[in-house]
Amino acid sequence: MAQKTYRRAAEAPAILARLTDVLASEWDPAGAVRIAAGGGADFYAQHALALAGMMAADARETEVQRYLRQVEQAALGESLHPFDVRRALVESVWRLAHGL
């Protein structure tokens, strides 16, 4: 059986770079979460790695959505995005990691 792309996403620099870009440009384009969390230059890369690891462990899309919401709430005290926006974002992240 062939190795699934998402199983090794955390070890694939190209996938991690694309996930990092999506988080920076679509999830937190104004940097509100990063700034409130006191994150440095690698803030989005760290979360991209966490998401890739979650997907490698067969996390469902809802679990990835919950992770992002919890990061938002921990940093800002509230959700940054409504559910449908976060769901669309996670679908993009999911497709990237799964090579779709």
Side-chain angles (χ1 to χ4, degrees):
M1 183 176 202
Q3 181 69 24
K4 296 180 180 180
T5 304
Y6 69 93
R7 294 266 190 220
R8 302 193 57 90
E11 300 170 15
I15 292 174
L16 287 174
R18 291 174 64 197
L19 291 174
T20 298
D21 289 344
V22 167
L23 291 177
S25 66
E26 295 180 35
W27 176 53
D28 189 28
V33 177
R34 181 186 57 78
I35 292 166
D42 63 345
F43 179 79
Y44 303 111
Q46 290 174 349
H47 289 290
L49 183 59
L51 295 180
M54 290 174 70
M55 288 183 275
D58 287 328
R60 295 181 179 178
E61 288 183 35
T62 55
E63 293 171 298
V64 177
Q65 290 176 38
R66 182 180 320 119
Y67 173 83
L68 292 176
R69 186 190 74 236
Q70 289 174 337
V71 171
E72 294 167 7
Q73 290 175 332
L76 302 171
E78 62 186 6
S79 294
L80 182 63
H81 300 290
F83 172 81
D84 57 337
V85 172
R86 192 177 308 101
R87 187 188 77 219
L89 170 70
V90 169
E91 287 173 2
S92 294
V93 166
W94 194 266
R95 283 191 301 274
L96 281 173
H98 286 77
L100 303 176

